[in-house]
Amino acid sequence: MTTPPHPPNRPPAPDAAVQAALDVLATGPFATLQDLGRPGLAHIGVGRSGAADRASFALANRLLANPEDAAGIEATLGGLAVRALRPLLVAVTGAPCPVSVDDTPVAFNAPVEVPTGAVLRLGRPASGLRTYLAVRGGLAVRPVLGSRATDVLSGLGPDPLSPGTALPVGPPPAAHPRVDLAPVPDPPAGGLTLQVVPGPRADWFTPAALATLLESEWEVSAQSDRVGMRLTGPELERVPDKGELPSEGMVAGALQVPPSGRPVLFLADHPVTGGYPVIAVVTRADVDRAAQARPGQRLRFATTVGPAHDAHRPRTP
């Protein structure tokens, strides 16, 4: 996978007015702070960003009775280690991985108590890509444009986490956790099928191109990150003499086709606009599943028809 650049001049991550409660010891390949992002700002050029797998992220917060948009950590391929600087209640969801507190295994998809001084570690997930750590009270770093999410494309939000980062935790909500365990299916380790609807520029492609998209097996490229998933497979042929396409708005799940003819699936930190045609758009629910696909994993696309079509339409940025 590509390593996002480290943008300069970002705001400091922790809010100095709030006492640190979590000390980052190790981050694994890549870890960031996320919430549900910055919706409604695309008209001023600000993308939504936020957790790549929003359903798993929201589940972690619900297990702790936090608001679903409370900030937590998104860890890529495990390897995260944090020390509690006071007693904390946490939950780990998303890509399933071994979780331990002071080397004692603890439950996944469940509230877990972490005593003062104890170290919580995430191992490498058996399937899936992104694991979420939520803390009761949420991580109280300073928000930027109303969000604590790290946007690796624009550079908004706190820096990607690094060892030595101290994170504050907000006050616990009034509500208390009511669920001991959330049995949710693991992300698939093998082939993955994603539902799509035809894109706004499907007519920019030959009649055979959409059939090729749906009938072919695609492979997730290592050149993938939170911005987009690059796919390897057959070329999707464009209709000749269409000219140049003006920049237009993009949504998460858009399958934009650059001149190479191989689609790029836009994920959480996708650009606000793009200049290449979108042949199809992955449905809202399946964008979360796509965010858990690993490089090298195979996937297919299928069309969504019927009453579920509207329910799964992509969200506006």
Side-chain angles (χ1 to χ4, degrees), residues 101-132:
V101 175
D102 279 352
D103 298 325
T104 299
V106 297
F108 198 79
N109 290 332
V112 172
E113 293 182 353
V114 184
T116 300
V119 176
L120 180 144
R121 297 182 186 275
L122 306 185
R124 184 180 175 88
S127 64
L129 187 62
R130 296 179 167 97
T131 302
Y132 294 92

Side-chain angles (χ1 to χ4, degrees), residues 264-287:
V264 178
L265 198 169
F266 281 161
L267 297 177
D269 291 351
H270 67 87
V272 176
T273 62
Y276 300 126
V278 173
I279 189 172
V281 182
V282 175
T283 57
R284 184 175 62 198
D286 278 5
V287 172

Side-chain angles (χ1 to χ4, degrees), residues 1-5 30 52 74 76 129-130 151-153 220-231 264-271 287 290-295:
M1 297 183 65
T2 56
T3 300
F30 188 63
E74 179 181 277
T76 304
L129 187 62
R130 296 179 167 97
D151 185 331
V152 300
L153 181 65
V220 180
S221 164
Q223 302 301 313
S224 300
D225 54 21
R226 283 180 43 85
V227 176
M229 176 196 297
R230 295 184 180 276
L231 300 173
V264 178
L265 198 169
F266 281 161
L267 297 177
D269 291 351
H270 67 87
V287 172
Q292 293 290 3
R294 294 183 177 194

Side-chain angles (χ1 to χ4, degrees), residues 154-247:
S154 69
L156 286 175
D159 289 341
L161 295 180
S162 59
T165 301
L167 298 171
V169 173
H176 293 278
R178 295 185 176 181
V179 177
D180 293 332
L181 180 67
V184 296
D186 294 342
L192 178 66
T193 298
L194 302 176
Q195 300 292 318
V196 297
V197 295
R201 300 298 178 189
D203 62 337
W204 278 58
F205 297 87
T206 65
L210 185 59
T212 300
L213 176 73
L214 299 175
E215 295 170 359
S216 302
E217 188 176 64
W218 302 86
E219 181 176 324
V220 180
S221 164
Q223 302 301 313
S224 300
D225 54 21
R226 283 180 43 85
V227 176
M229 176 196 297
R230 295 184 180 276
L231 300 173
T232 59
E235 181 178 353
L236 302 179
E237 188 180 11
R238 286 173 54 168
V239 172
D241 302 326
K242 271 288 190 178
E244 294 297 324
L245 184 68
S247 294

